Amino acid sequence: MSDVVILGAGMHPWGKWGRNFVEYGVVAARAALADAGLEWSDVGFLAAGNTMRNGYPGYVSGSTFAQALGWRGVRVSSSFAACASGAVAIDQARAQIQAGRCDVALVVGADTAPKGFFGPLPGERWEDPDWLRFHVLGATNPTYFGLYARRRMEAYGATAKDFAAVKVKNSRHGLTNPNARYRKEFGYDEIEESPVVADPLRLVDICATSDGAASLVLASAEFAETRADRDRHVRIAAISTVTPRYPNTYLDMPDIATDSAVGVASVPQRTFRDSIAAAAYEEAGLGPADVSFAEVYDLSTALELDWYENIGLCGEGEAEALLHSGATSLGGRVPVNPSGGLACFGEAIPAQAIAQVCELTWQLRGDAGGRQVEGARVGLSINQGLFGHGSCVIATR
């Protein structure tokens, strides 16, 4: 496959602004275009991540953003894959470039989130697992996060102190990030004073819901070679949007049961979460030892520890030791969430995977300021959307 290059990255800061998501997306898109030294008129394709909580314009975000930037006949796509929506949009844009249908593509994701944790969408849908888990079990997102944390404690001996250490680290990383919503360093005593939401997780262990937007400008390698700023360009080495293999015996939100492995001759060699990064490594021709830093989806502090193992930074049950060794902190062997992660941003669903790749871009360029990972050459971002949407991007210099 031909190379695709990131020419520009831009964001609207995360927060709780209460404005139309389109405004955020336009700000991010214009920032990415300016960063690339290009105009909207140079774009041949626009790929957008959809938002489900902002009316019909959110369902057709591609055309919504095209209209907001100015109708000019550009081709668009609108994708929803829950938390993986941004990665799917990036993959759509890359595919258009690799197919020779355009030289330059714009990727945009933006959201305006409700107050509090995400709840079910309106309506009555008895065959929708997401609706059922709220109305039959009363299982909100933090409920699942708490169950995952409990599983980690039972399986590997993790403690609340381990989870707090993740929060301490990420709050320190995000302190100087101008796009982060929360720029405050937390200490252990303050975390212990935070109320328990889903035992053992406290309020500050769980990411907030946020408004925000992120955007990328992608281009063919041939187009990128014509640019004077070639030393700033970052290459997309791989994108993984894999789904689980049957039987999936790990309980993933929003499911309330797993596949049955009874009578199945063999189960998959890798869990779904392990397979997401594995597919990206295979495409890129790289492995965990090559990764300079990673942006992982810390919906909760405990889930960040799971991701360490899923992307191969350590063996199963070894994440706590890796964390406490300092390896995943800035200045360590492989910093994780140098941006501050969701702990400092909160979650703006269709923008989040794109924001992760913005961070990869800035880090690999050496433009990350006080949170810069020294000598960064390979960056990995990973998350997971509801109903089995994998999301992993590897970028390199």
Side-chain angles (χ1 to χ4, degrees), residues 95-232:
Q96 290 286 322
I97 292 169
Q98 290 176 328
R101 301 191 72 186
C102 67
D103 282 320
V104 178
L106 180 67
V107 183
V108 189
D111 207 2
T112 299
K115 184 178 180 180
F117 296 120
F118 290 120
L121 292 173
E124 189 170 292
R125 300 178 304 282
W126 287 93
E127 295 183 358
D128 175 357
D130 192 58
W131 186 89
L132 286 171
R133 55 106 171 192
F134 280 106
H135 291 275
V136 175
L137 296 182
T140 61
N141 289 8
T143 301
Y144 280 83
F145 304 157
L147 290 171
Y148 295 144
R150 280 283 171 196
R151 176 185 177 275
R152 185 152 198 97
M153 296 172 85
E154 179 68 24
Y156 308 125
T159 67
K161 192 75 174 285
D162 295 324
F163 305 150
V166 174
K167 178 68 177 182
V168 168
K169 171 185 73 71
N170 287 345
S171 70
R172 188 181 302 124
H173 286 181
L175 201 58
T176 61
N177 191 333
N179 292 306
R181 177 180 176 184
Y182 301 106
R183 283 176 277 174
K184 167 184 166 57
E185 189 168 352
F186 278 81
Y188 289 99
D189 290 343
E190 190 172 4
I191 293 169
E192 287 181 4
E193 292 171 0
S194 177
V196 173
V197 172
D199 193 30
L201 299 179
R202 299 179 178 277
L203 182 63
V204 296
D205 284 310
I206 301 168
C207 78
T209 61
S210 292
D211 299 357
S215 181
L216 295 165
V217 176
L218 309 185
S220 65
E222 294 76 15
F223 181 89
E225 278 298 313
T226 69
R227 309 294 295 170
D229 60 349
R230 290 188 294 275
D231 60 327
R232 298 176 71 246

Side-chain angles (χ1 to χ4, degrees), residues 315-364:
E316 187 175 336
E318 297 175 355
E320 289 78 12
L322 185 72
L323 170 71
H324 292 297
S325 75
T328 60
S329 296
L330 282 170
R333 175 173 63 83
V334 54
V336 175
N337 285 336
S339 69
L342 297 183
C344 294
F345 277 78
E347 187 181 19
I349 290 176
Q352 215 68 46
I354 303 170
Q356 287 182 314
V357 181
C358 287
E359 184 68 15
L360 300 191
T361 302
W362 292 321
Q363 290 284 352
L364 292 169

